[in-house]
Amino acid sequence: MPARIVETNPAPFGRVEIDPVTLDIIENALRNARIEMDATLVRTAMSPGIREQGDAFPLIADPSGKMIVGQFGSFIGGFLDSFEGTIEDGDMIFLSDPYSCEGAISHSNDWLVLLPVFKDGRLLAYTAMFGHQSDIGGKVVGSMPINAHSIFEEGVRIPPVKLWKKGEYNEDLMKLVLHQTRKPDWCLADLNALVASCRVAARRVIEMAERFGDDVYVSATQELLARNHRAMKSLIAMAVAEEPVSFEDYICDDGMGFGPYRIKCTMWRDGDRVILDFEGTDPQSAASINFYLNENMFKMFFGIYMIMVFDPQILFNDGFYDLIDVRIPDGSLLKPKFPAALSGRTHALGRIFDILGGLLGQKTPEFLNAAGFSSSPHLFYSGLDAKGDWFQLFQIGFGGIPGRPLGDGPDGHSLWPGFTNVPNEFLERYFPLRIERYETEPDSGGAGLHRGGNGIHMTYRFLADGRIAIHDDRWFVPPWGVNGGHPGMRARKIMERADGSTEIVGNKVEDVEVRAGDQLHFITWGGGGWGDPLERDPALVAREVREGLCTAEGSRAYGVSVTSEGLVNEDETKKLRAEMKASRADLPLFDFGPGIAVLRTRCQQETGLPAPVQPKWHQTETTR
């Protein structure tokens, strides 16, 4: 039974014509309200993941639940269809269970609050925000066990409940929830920050309605949705062909020794609509790398990618959803069956963007991006400090953005544009560790006319005994290059023990013991290159050698010879480039590297780690 909206004023909103100036004012006011949500959050949250890195996502929706501004798209329509209860003035909904909202939040660490905004007895809007909690209980610190086989191992699951009911705060509910976490102070502060952000946005919406009138405000939101629909309809006709195209990419492993896991999508246009079909994606994993992909969320990903590549001035919202048909097989890695574990879904979530790029670029290779930093590597560190007090750190790492049509990929950036790094000073002030090194990893970006961004080499020196966990990917299957660009360098982790020994550490590991004085080299992967490396300006290559972004040896991938002073050896460069051009084949649209079978053969030698075993449901080797 769908939710029942309780309104004391039954009069519907009238639809009125909106002049362009008023529409522009309301549009930018809504954009600013969304930014103010973020600002409120970081000023009031406590955990490093939210306060320092901004791992939270807001939205403002219309009365039907369609997102007007935000980032991940709206879950509200699906929520309203399944919520068995009333929605009244003074209510605020709280939830974290992905299975209760059709994957609108994708693992239980994400706590979401939803505030219906009433004015004069009528539902005017919704504001909502979710953010990653650093710990929600469960069997491991950080609540993201790599070896979880069900969601019941991943901490507290909160179904849709009322945190506020008709203006009354449910304190007993919060006592129960906070009792499950190792960091109740962080969780409570972060939840209050989410609540405050939603209330700030609600005030701004009411102020707009009071200034312009309720009917004008609601009509403006509908025009923003309609405008987005018109723009996306045009972009789809331009960028998506009627003939189907397919693309596939991989999650390297599941942390349990199996992999890679294939994600495949086929795209075609049928009239005005685009179909995105994930048939051919591998079945769900027995471990926690599953990603419960909400269809509306993927529609938003598709829309964001289209808009950012083809027309960044468009305001992305939910107005175009009827133009997209998303088909995801039940029981697959992207639509696992309950109670599959979901906590490690970040790798598949990020890889979706690489797949979108591979699909859309096949018709318009001039707009094609390489594969980039399509994940959010996690480091967890916990133990007792010198005072005997408990500490735990959750940190998201950064890496190389792909080479692009307009230039090089940025070095050491986040998958999510709004994320920021945790300042090293913050880490050293509040945790028993010291950052010995924080710099780009030379040559890790794939060579190209526009090179891929370099990954990050971050060295942690642990100052207290404890345990760490690492969640990362792209250590086995490299990030691919395009239009002749080369693949980027893969991720790796190296532990230097205080006793002088060195060991290779896996990229998905749990419960690794560390001692005071041990150093972890956390090296993330680079982005793939774009375009012919032999067309890159030799002077630029030499400059990057001098700046430490590229090595003298690495410069030869561009056909450039650099002297010991870091200058171009003109004669040697001309000779080298002529030899390379004469000996190579035609430039490929995609350069995936040597292929899965060869990567398996070379894995131990190249990475120091055993190759993942092919998941058992496959009868044949993966196609690449």
Side-chain angles (χ1 to χ4, degrees):
M1 172 179 280
R4 185 168 64 90
I5 310 298
V6 178
E7 296 179 292
T8 58
N9 180 358
F13 294 107
R15 189 67 185 268
V16 299
E17 292 293 324
I18 307 295
D19 65 85
V21 173
T22 300
L23 183 65
D24 189 60
I25 292 172
I26 292 176
E27 174 187 350
N28 284 283
L30 285 166
R31 288 179 188 262
N32 288 337
R34 178 230 189 271
I35 293 170
E36 193 174 358
M37 293 177 78
D38 289 331
T40 302
L41 183 85
V42 300
R43 290 183 181 126
T44 50
M46 280 186 64
S47 70
I50 292 182
R51 170 180 158 178
E52 300 295 331
Q53 301 208 268
D55 190 359
F57 301 89
L59 71 84
I60 301 173
D62 76 349
S64 69
K66 292 181 179 178
M67 188 188 80
I68 308 301
V69 292
Q71 188 163 348
F72 266 74
S74 178
F75 65 94
I76 299 171
F79 162 76
L80 293 175
D81 289 339
S82 60
F83 181 64
E84 297 182 359
T86 60
I87 302 292
E88 303 181 62
D89 193 3
D91 289 350
M92 179 176 283
I93 307 298
F94 175 37
L95 68 131
S96 73
D97 177 21
Y99 290 106
S100 70
C101 58
E102 300 177 343
I105 48 175
S106 51
H107 65 172
S108 300
N109 288 78
D110 288 338
W111 284 7
L112 182 150
V113 295
L114 170 66
L115 175 62
V117 182
F118 286 82
K119 180 177 181 291
D120 301 327
R122 295 189 293 182
L123 180 63
L124 181 67
Y126 291 94
T127 65
M129 197 170 204
F130 71 85
H132 180 99
Q133 302 299 314
S134 294
D135 193 284
I136 57 167
K139 68 178 187 176
V140 300
V141 173
S143 315
M144 297 174 62
I146 292 169
N147 63 353
H149 297 301
S150 80
I151 198 170
F152 299 114
E153 301 173 73
E154 297 176 331
V156 62
R157 294 166 51 230
I158 306 165
V161 292
K162 292 187 178 182
L163 183 60
W164 266 268
K165 184 175 183 179
K166 297 182 181 180
E168 293 293 326
Y169 178 58
N170 192 339
E171 185 175 2
D172 288 341
L173 168 66
M174 284 315 304
K175 287 181 179 178
L176 177 63
V177 170
L178 295 172
H179 194 66
Q180 316 306 312
T181 171
R182 298 171 181 85
K183 294 294 293 181
D185 52 344
W186 284 6
C187 287
L188 181 59
D190 290 354
L191 178 64
N192 286 339
L194 295 171
V195 169
S197 299
C198 289
R199 294 202 185 280
V200 164
R203 285 200 298 273
R204 299 297 175 254
V205 167
I206 290 174
E207 288 168 0
M208 280 182 264
E210 289 175 341
R211 176 180 177 183
F212 296 101
D214 297 356
D215 292 343
V216 171
Y217 171 78
V218 173
S219 296
T221 63
Q222 302 313 296
E223 177 55 29
L224 291 173
L225 292 168
R227 189 179 69 182
N228 182 275
H229 186 279
R230 294 191 295 269
M232 283 297 297
K233 183 177 179 180
S234 176
L235 290 180
I236 287 170
M238 176 187 73
V240 181
E242 293 182 343
E243 180 181 355
V245 294
S246 296
F247 196 81
E248 62 186 45
D249 209 340
Y250 298 89
I251 307 302
C252 292
D253 71 317
D254 58 8
M256 304 294 290
F258 294 99
Y261 287 78
R262 173 170 45 211
I263 301 175
K264 180 179 180 179
C265 188
T266 301
M267 177 181 72
W268 70 94
R269 180 167 53 83
D270 183 1
D272 293 331
R273 298 170 66 246
V274 59
I275 290 84
L276 295 147
D277 189 346
F278 284 93
E279 187 67 37
T281 294
D282 280 342
Q284 68 191 64
S285 169
S288 64
I289 62 167
N290 302 294
F291 174 33
Y292 187 178
L293 177 57
N294 176 273
E295 284 84 354
N296 281 346
M297 181 185 292
F298 185 68
K299 290 178 182 181
M300 179 53 63
F301 289 170
F302 177 84
I304 291 172
Y305 197 97
M306 290 279 286
I307 288 168
M308 296 307 293
V309 170
F310 296 108
D311 192 350
Q313 296 305 311
I314 298 172
L315 173 71
F316 49 82
N317 58 40
D318 288 359
F320 63 90
Y321 279 9
D322 64 330
L323 296 173
I324 302 177
D325 180 8
V326 178
R327 304 171 184 177
I328 307 173
D330 288 335
S332 69
L333 190 74
L334 300 181
K335 188 173 278 189
K337 295 181 179 179
F338 178 81
L342 304 173
S343 61
R345 91 294 184 235
T346 184
H347 315 298
L349 189 161
R351 203 58 35 80
I352 290 295
F353 289 96
D354 284 343
I355 289 171
L356 280 173
L359 285 171
L360 291 166
Q362 293 181 47
K363 181 181 177 183
T364 54
E366 65 273 17
F367 289 106
L368 185 59
N369 287 331
F373 196 56
S374 50
S375 188
S376 295
H378 300 337
L379 173 69
F380 302 85
Y381 171 42
S382 61
L384 298 174
D385 63 18
K387 298 178 180 178
D389 295 330
W390 174 257
F391 68 86
Q392 67 179 77
L393 169 68
F394 160 71
Q395 184 181 12
I396 299 171
F398 294 171
I401 300 301
R404 303 165 294 165
L406 298 179
D408 296 346
D411 303 316
H413 207 283
S414 169
L415 165 67
W416 306 109
F419 277 18
T420 56
N421 70 305
V422 179
N424 294 339
E425 295 83 359
F426 180 95
L427 292 172
E428 294 178 344
R429 170 65 179 83
Y430 291 103
F431 300 95
L433 53 78
R434 184 163 64 242
I435 306 303
E436 300 285 2
R437 181 177 184 178
Y438 187 78
E439 59 191 41
T440 63
E441 179 69 4
D443 297 335
S444 55
L449 170 63
H450 302 147
R451 70 166 175 83
N454 283 334
I456 289 289
H457 188 149
M458 191 167 184
T459 301
Y460 300 84
R461 183 186 293 274
F462 303 110
L463 304 180
D465 295 351
R467 295 186 179 276
I468 65 168
I470 298 170
H471 293 213
D472 200 2
D473 205 59
R474 285 293 195 203
W475 68 272
F476 178 65
V477 180
W480 33 269
V482 297
N483 293 325
H486 296 179
M489 186 181 293
R490 293 173 289 180
R492 62 195 190 280
K493 311 292 179 288
I494 303 168
M495 185 75 76
E496 283 189 67
R497 297 293 186 180
D499 63 9
S501 62
T502 299
E503 61 192 76
I504 304 296
V505 181
N507 286 271
K508 294 183 184 70
V509 293
E510 202 86 70
D511 206 31
V512 177
E513 185 176 3
V514 294
R515 298 288 186 182
D518 290 347
Q519 294 186 76
L520 173 66
H521 297 272
F522 197 107
I523 305 166
T524 59
W525 74 82
W530 188 99
D532 185 356
L534 303 187
E535 298 296 324
R536 190 171 177 85
D537 182 1
L540 177 57
V541 176
R543 175 184 171 183
E544 293 193 329
V545 170
R546 297 193 298 271
E547 293 176 345
L549 299 173
C550 179
T551 65
E553 181 181 358
S555 71
R556 300 184 73 83
Y558 302 90
V560 176
S561 176
V562 179
T563 69
S564 58
E565 293 81 20
L567 302 175
V568 177
N569 184 325
E570 300 285 354
D571 292 338
E572 182 64 25
T573 294
K574 290 179 182 178
K575 179 181 176 182
L576 181 58
R577 286 191 163 183
E579 291 174 351
M580 293 174 70
K581 285 183 178 180
S583 62
R584 71 185 184 184
D586 292 339
L587 296 178
L589 180 60
F590 296 99
D591 185 346
F592 298 108
I596 300 297
V598 176
L599 289 172
R600 287 192 198 281
T601 303
R602 299 177 180 173
C603 188
Q604 186 73 48
Q605 176 185 357
E606 293 181 349
T607 70
L609 299 168
V613 177
Q614 191 72 17
K616 295 180 180 180
W617 57 80
H618 285 290
Q619 300 302 314
T620 59
E621 189 68 61
T622 48
T623 57
R624 192 180 295 171

mmCIF file of all heavy atoms in Angstrom, residues 417-447:
data_model
loop_
_atom_site.group_PDB
_atom_site.id
_atom_site.type_symbol
_atom_site.label_atom_id
_atom_site.label_comp_id
_atom_site.label_asym_id
_atom_site.label_seq_id
_atom_site.Cartn_x
_atom_site.Cartn_y
_atom_site.Cartn_z
ATOM 1 N N PRO A 417 33.142 14.837 -7.796
ATOM 2 C CA PRO A 417 33.707 16.193 -7.907
ATOM 3 C C PRO A 417 33.681 16.983 -6.613
ATOM 4 O O PRO A 417 34.558 17.826 -6.383
ATOM 5 C CB PRO A 417 32.818 16.858 -8.978
ATOM 6 C CG PRO A 417 32.245 15.732 -9.763
ATOM 7 C CD PRO A 417 32.067 14.600 -8.791
ATOM 8 N N GLY A 418 32.697 16.732 -5.751
ATOM 9 C CA GLY A 418 32.573 17.531 -4.537
ATOM 10 C C GLY A 418 33.410 17.049 -3.374
ATOM 11 O O GLY A 418 33.469 17.708 -2.334
ATOM 12 N N PHE A 419 34.072 15.887 -3.517
ATOM 13 C CA PHE A 419 34.863 15.365 -2.408
ATOM 14 C C PHE A 419 36.165 16.148 -2.253
ATOM 15 O O PHE A 419 36.733 16.631 -3.226
ATOM 16 C CB PHE A 419 35.199 13.892 -2.632
ATOM 17 C CG PHE A 419 34.117 12.938 -2.223
ATOM 18 C CD1 PHE A 419 32.824 13.361 -2.050
ATOM 19 C CD2 PHE A 419 34.400 11.604 -2.017
ATOM 20 C CE1 PHE A 419 31.824 12.481 -1.676
ATOM 21 C CE2 PHE A 419 33.415 10.702 -1.646
ATOM 22 C CZ PHE A 419 32.121 11.141 -1.473
ATOM 23 N N THR A 420 36.623 16.232 -1.033
ATOM 24 C CA THR A 420 37.934 16.805 -0.737
ATOM 25 C C THR A 420 38.725 15.803 0.095
ATOM 26 O O THR A 420 38.152 14.906 0.721
ATOM 27 C CB THR A 420 37.809 18.133 0.022
ATOM 28 O OG1 THR A 420 37.041 17.917 1.218
ATOM 29 C CG2 THR A 420 37.108 19.189 -0.829
ATOM 30 N N ASN A 421 40.045 15.959 0.097
ATOM 31 C CA ASN A 421 40.867 15.047 0.886
ATOM 32 C C ASN A 421 40.834 15.430 2.358
ATOM 33 O O ASN A 421 40.560 16.576 2.713
ATOM 34 C CB ASN A 421 42.313 15.058 0.377
ATOM 35 C CG ASN A 421 43.013 16.367 0.683
ATOM 36 O OD1 ASN A 421 42.527 17.424 0.308
ATOM 37 N ND2 ASN A 421 44.140 16.313 1.366
ATOM 38 N N VAL A 422 41.107 14.456 3.200
ATOM 39 C CA VAL A 422 41.291 14.758 4.622
ATOM 40 C C VAL A 422 42.661 15.400 4.780
ATOM 41 O O VAL A 422 43.670 14.801 4.406
ATOM 42 C CB VAL A 422 41.214 13.485 5.483
ATOM 43 C CG1 VAL A 422 41.425 13.833 6.964
ATOM 44 C CG2 VAL A 422 39.881 12.775 5.294
ATOM 45 N N PRO A 423 42.761 16.622 5.287
ATOM 46 C CA PRO A 423 44.081 17.252 5.434
ATOM 47 C C PRO A 423 45.016 16.397 6.275
ATOM 48 O O PRO A 423 44.606 15.806 7.286
ATOM 49 C CB PRO A 423 43.754 18.575 6.131
ATOM 50 C CG PRO A 423 42.321 18.846 5.800
ATOM 51 C CD PRO A 423 41.663 17.504 5.729
ATOM 52 N N ASN A 424 46.261 16.323 5.846
ATOM 53 C CA ASN A 424 47.241 15.538 6.601
ATOM 54 C C ASN A 424 47.378 16.044 8.033
ATOM 55 O O ASN A 424 47.609 15.262 8.963
ATOM 56 C CB ASN A 424 48.597 15.585 5.897
ATOM 57 C CG ASN A 424 48.571 14.887 4.555
ATOM 58 O OD1 ASN A 424 47.699 14.056 4.294
ATOM 59 N ND2 ASN A 424 49.520 15.220 3.696
ATOM 60 N N GLU A 425 47.237 17.357 8.205
ATOM 61 C CA GLU A 425 47.341 17.926 9.556
ATOM 62 C C GLU A 425 46.218 17.409 10.459
ATOM 63 O O GLU A 425 46.430 17.172 11.659
ATOM 64 C CB GLU A 425 47.288 19.457 9.481
ATOM 65 C CG GLU A 425 48.463 20.088 8.751
ATOM 66 C CD GLU A 425 48.295 20.089 7.233
ATOM 67 O OE1 GLU A 425 47.263 19.583 6.735
ATOM 68 O OE2 GLU A 425 49.207 20.581 6.546
ATOM 69 N N PHE A 426 45.039 17.238 9.868
ATOM 70 C CA PHE A 426 43.917 16.689 10.631
ATOM 71 C C PHE A 426 44.221 15.256 11.046
ATOM 72 O O PHE A 426 44.004 14.863 12.204
ATOM 73 C CB PHE A 426 42.645 16.754 9.784
ATOM 74 C CG PHE A 426 41.418 16.215 10.461
ATOM 75 C CD1 PHE A 426 40.550 17.064 11.121
ATOM 76 C CD2 PHE A 426 41.122 14.866 10.436
ATOM 77 C CE1 PHE A 426 39.402 16.577 11.750
ATOM 78 C CE2 PHE A 426 39.981 14.358 11.050
ATOM 79 C CZ PHE A 426 39.128 15.219 11.719
ATOM 80 N N LEU A 427 44.722 14.457 10.099
ATOM 81 C CA LEU A 427 45.031 13.060 10.396
ATOM 82 C C LEU A 427 46.064 12.964 11.518
ATOM 83 O O LEU A 427 45.924 12.163 12.450
ATOM 84 C CB LEU A 427 45.554 12.368 9.143
ATOM 85 C CG LEU A 427 44.559 12.172 8.001
ATOM 86 C CD1 LEU A 427 45.270 11.643 6.759
ATOM 87 C CD2 LEU A 427 43.443 11.216 8.415
ATOM 88 N N GLU A 428 47.105 13.774 11.422
ATOM 89 C CA GLU A 428 48.182 13.699 12.404
ATOM 90 C C GLU A 428 47.772 14.263 13.765
ATOM 91 O O GLU A 428 48.326 13.861 14.792
ATOM 92 C CB GLU A 428 49.413 14.431 11.878
ATOM 93 C CG GLU A 428 50.017 13.758 10.644
ATOM 94 C CD GLU A 428 51.205 14.508 10.077
ATOM 95 O OE1 GLU A 428 51.392 15.704 10.440
ATOM 96 O OE2 GLU A 428 51.951 13.915 9.281
ATOM 97 N N ARG A 429 46.790 15.156 13.760
ATOM 98 C CA ARG A 429 46.321 15.739 15.021
ATOM 99 C C ARG A 429 45.421 14.785 15.783
ATOM 100 O O ARG A 429 45.499 14.704 17.025
ATOM 101 C CB ARG A 429 45.600 17.062 14.738
ATOM 102 C CG ARG A 429 44.850 17.659 15.929
ATOM 103 C CD ARG A 429 45.799 18.065 17.044
ATOM 104 N NE ARG A 429 45.084 18.647 18.168
ATOM 105 C CZ ARG A 429 44.490 17.948 19.133
ATOM 106 N NH1 ARG A 429 44.532 16.618 19.108
ATOM 107 N NH2 ARG A 429 43.876 18.557 20.130
ATOM 108 N N TYR A 430 44.573 14.046 15.081
ATOM 109 C CA TYR A 430 43.525 13.278 15.755
ATOM 110 C C TYR A 430 43.745 11.771 15.739
ATOM 111 O O TYR A 430 42.985 11.036 16.378
ATOM 112 C CB TYR A 430 42.167 13.595 15.135
ATOM 113 C CG TYR A 430 41.705 15.007 15.420
ATOM 114 C CD1 TYR A 430 41.788 15.992 14.443
ATOM 115 C CD2 TYR A 430 41.218 15.362 16.672
ATOM 116 C CE1 TYR A 430 41.384 17.293 14.702
ATOM 117 C CE2 TYR A 430 40.806 16.655 16.944
ATOM 118 C CZ TYR A 430 40.893 17.621 15.957
ATOM 119 O OH TYR A 430 40.495 18.909 16.223
ATOM 120 N N PHE A 431 44.777 11.298 15.045
ATOM 121 C CA PHE A 431 45.017 9.864 14.973
ATOM 122 C C PHE A 431 46.508 9.584 15.176
ATOM 123 O O PHE A 431 47.347 10.411 14.808
ATOM 124 C CB PHE A 431 44.556 9.293 13.621
ATOM 125 C CG PHE A 431 43.093 9.503 13.357
ATOM 126 C CD1 PHE A 431 42.668 10.598 12.619
ATOM 127 C CD2 PHE A 431 42.151 8.634 13.874
ATOM 128 C CE1 PHE A 431 41.317 10.816 12.390
ATOM 129 C CE2 PHE A 431 40.798 8.840 13.653
ATOM 130 C CZ PHE A 431 40.375 9.939 12.913
ATOM 131 N N PRO A 432 46.844 8.426 15.733
ATOM 132 C CA PRO A 432 48.253 8.114 15.993
ATOM 133 C C PRO A 432 48.971 7.650 14.717
ATOM 134 O O PRO A 432 49.285 6.463 14.550
ATOM 135 C CB PRO A 432 48.176 7.006 17.047
ATOM 136 C CG PRO A 432 46.887 6.310 16.752
ATOM 137 C CD PRO A 432 45.945 7.390 16.288
ATOM 138 N N LEU A 433 49.209 8.579 13.823
ATOM 139 C CA LEU A 433 49.942 8.274 12.598
ATOM 140 C C LEU A 433 50.622 9.540 12.083
ATOM 141 O O LEU A 433 50.307 10.651 12.501
ATOM 142 C CB LEU A 433 49.017 7.673 11.533
ATOM 143 C CG LEU A 433 47.723 8.393 11.132
ATOM 144 C CD1 LEU A 433 47.987 9.559 10.184
ATOM 145 C CD2 LEU A 433 46.781 7.421 10.457
ATOM 146 N N ARG A 434 51.558 9.335 11.174
ATOM 147 C CA ARG A 434 52.242 10.447 10.537
ATOM 148 C C ARG A 434 52.269 10.187 9.031
ATOM 149 O O ARG A 434 52.531 9.066 8.594
ATOM 150 C CB ARG A 434 53.665 10.597 11.074
ATOM 151 C CG ARG A 434 54.400 11.818 10.513
ATOM 152 C CD ARG A 434 55.623 12.191 11.340
ATOM 153 N NE ARG A 434 56.641 11.152 11.314
ATOM 154 C CZ ARG A 434 57.072 10.490 12.390
ATOM 155 N NH1 ARG A 434 56.552 10.768 13.582
ATOM 156 N NH2 ARG A 434 58.010 9.576 12.297
ATOM 157 N N ILE A 435 51.989 11.212 8.254
ATOM 158 C CA ILE A 435 52.005 11.094 6.806
ATOM 159 C C ILE A 435 53.410 11.440 6.329
ATOM 160 O O ILE A 435 53.834 12.598 6.381
ATOM 161 C CB ILE A 435 50.955 12.011 6.150
ATOM 162 C CG1 ILE A 435 49.569 11.754 6.742
ATOM 163 C CG2 ILE A 435 50.949 11.808 4.635
ATOM 164 C CD1 ILE A 435 49.091 10.325 6.632
ATOM 165 N N GLU A 436 54.126 10.426 5.880
ATOM 166 C CA GLU A 436 55.505 10.617 5.443
ATOM 167 C C GLU A 436 55.584 11.087 3.996
ATOM 168 O O GLU A 436 56.579 11.711 3.596
ATOM 169 C CB GLU A 436 56.290 9.302 5.593
ATOM 170 C CG GLU A 436 56.360 8.766 7.019
ATOM 171 C CD GLU A 436 57.320 9.547 7.893
ATOM 172 O OE1 GLU A 436 57.919 10.536 7.410
ATOM 173 O OE2 GLU A 436 57.471 9.171 9.080
ATOM 174 N N ARG A 437 54.556 10.789 3.236
ATOM 175 C CA ARG A 437 54.611 11.094 1.802
ATOM 176 C C ARG A 437 53.194 11.273 1.286
ATOM 177 O O ARG A 437 52.308 10.482 1.594
ATOM 178 C CB ARG A 437 55.303 9.943 1.075
ATOM 179 C CG ARG A 437 55.478 10.108 -0.427
ATOM 180 C CD ARG A 437 56.247 8.904 -0.951
ATOM 181 N NE ARG A 437 56.552 9.011 -2.371
ATOM 182 C CZ ARG A 437 57.254 8.102 -3.044
ATOM 183 N NH1 ARG A 437 57.719 7.035 -2.419
ATOM 184 N NH2 ARG A 437 57.493 8.260 -4.336
ATOM 185 N N TYR A 438 52.991 12.330 0.506
ATOM 186 C CA TYR A 438 51.692 12.559 -0.132
ATOM 187 C C TYR A 438 51.969 13.274 -1.448
ATOM 188 O O TYR A 438 52.157 14.489 -1.479
ATOM 189 C CB TYR A 438 50.777 13.389 0.764
ATOM 190 C CG TYR A 438 49.362 13.521 0.237
ATOM 191 C CD1 TYR A 438 48.453 12.475 0.386
ATOM 192 C CD2 TYR A 438 48.942 14.680 -0.407
ATOM 193 C CE1 TYR A 438 47.165 12.593 -0.094
ATOM 194 C CE2 TYR A 438 47.656 14.802 -0.891
ATOM 195 C CZ TYR A 438 46.766 13.752 -0.731
ATOM 196 O OH TYR A 438 45.495 13.866 -1.217
ATOM 197 N N GLU A 439 52.042 12.517 -2.524
ATOM 198 C CA GLU A 439 52.437 13.088 -3.803
ATOM 199 C C GLU A 439 51.901 12.224 -4.936
ATOM 200 O O GLU A 439 51.456 11.093 -4.721
ATOM 201 C CB GLU A 439 53.961 13.182 -3.891
ATOM 202 C CG GLU A 439 54.667 11.853 -3.746
ATOM 203 C CD GLU A 439 56.179 11.989 -3.561
ATOM 204 O OE1 GLU A 439 56.604 12.901 -2.821
ATOM 205 O OE2 GLU A 439 56.910 11.175 -4.151
ATOM 206 N N THR A 440 51.946 12.769 -6.143
ATOM 207 C CA THR A 440 51.516 11.985 -7.287
ATOM 208 C C THR A 440 52.536 10.899 -7.592
ATOM 209 O O THR A 440 53.728 11.043 -7.311
ATOM 210 C CB THR A 440 51.320 12.865 -8.535
ATOM 211 O OG1 THR A 440 52.576 13.447 -8.887
ATOM 212 C CG2 THR A 440 50.296 13.953 -8.281
ATOM 213 N N GLU A 441 52.063 9.814 -8.161
ATOM 214 C CA GLU A 441 52.914 8.692 -8.551
ATOM 215 C C GLU A 441 53.334 8.877 -10.003
ATOM 216 O O GLU A 441 52.509 8.783 -10.915
ATOM 217 C CB GLU A 441 52.156 7.370 -8.378
ATOM 218 C CG GLU A 441 52.925 6.134 -8.760
ATOM 219 C CD GLU A 441 54.077 5.819 -7.798
ATOM 220 O OE1 GLU A 441 54.232 6.535 -6.773
ATOM 221 O OE2 GLU A 441 54.815 4.858 -8.072
ATOM 222 N N PRO A 442 54.608 9.165 -10.267
ATOM 223 C CA PRO A 442 55.035 9.437 -11.643
ATOM 224 C C PRO A 442 54.717 8.275 -12.589
ATOM 225 O O PRO A 442 54.794 7.098 -12.198
ATOM 226 C CB PRO A 442 56.552 9.630 -11.500
ATOM 227 C CG PRO A 442 56.785 9.964 -10.070
ATOM 228 C CD PRO A 442 55.724 9.238 -9.305
ATOM 229 N N ASP A 443 54.342 8.614 -13.806
ATOM 230 C CA ASP A 443 54.082 7.651 -14.886
ATOM 231 C C ASP A 443 52.828 6.804 -14.670
ATOM 232 O O ASP A 443 52.552 5.905 -15.464
ATOM 233 C CB ASP A 443 55.273 6.695 -15.091
ATOM 234 C CG ASP A 443 56.539 7.397 -15.520
ATOM 235 O OD1 ASP A 443 56.443 8.487 -16.118
ATOM 236 O OD2 ASP A 443 57.630 6.860 -15.256
ATOM 237 N N SER A 444 52.070 7.054 -13.609
ATOM 238 C CA SER A 444 50.898 6.200 -13.372
ATOM 239 C C SER A 444 49.736 6.550 -14.289
ATOM 240 O O SER A 444 48.880 5.700 -14.565
ATOM 241 C CB SER A 444 50.464 6.270 -11.903
ATOM 242 O OG SER A 444 50.225 7.603 -11.500
ATOM 243 N N GLY A 445 49.685 7.780 -14.788
ATOM 244 C CA GLY A 445 48.691 8.137 -15.787
ATOM 245 C C GLY A 445 49.069 7.577 -17.142
ATOM 246 O O GLY A 445 50.239 7.614 -17.543
ATOM 247 N N GLY A 446 48.100 7.023 -17.858
ATOM 248 C CA GLY A 446 48.379 6.455 -19.162
ATOM 249 C C GLY A 446 48.859 7.507 -20.146
ATOM 250 O O GLY A 446 48.350 8.633 -20.191
ATOM 251 N N ALA A 447 49.849 7.138 -20.978
ATOM 252 C CA ALA A 447 50.382 8.071 -21.974
ATOM 253 C C ALA A 447 49.335 8.363 -23.040
ATOM 254 O O ALA A 447 48.537 7.509 -23.400
ATOM 255 C CB ALA A 447 51.638 7.482 -22.616
#
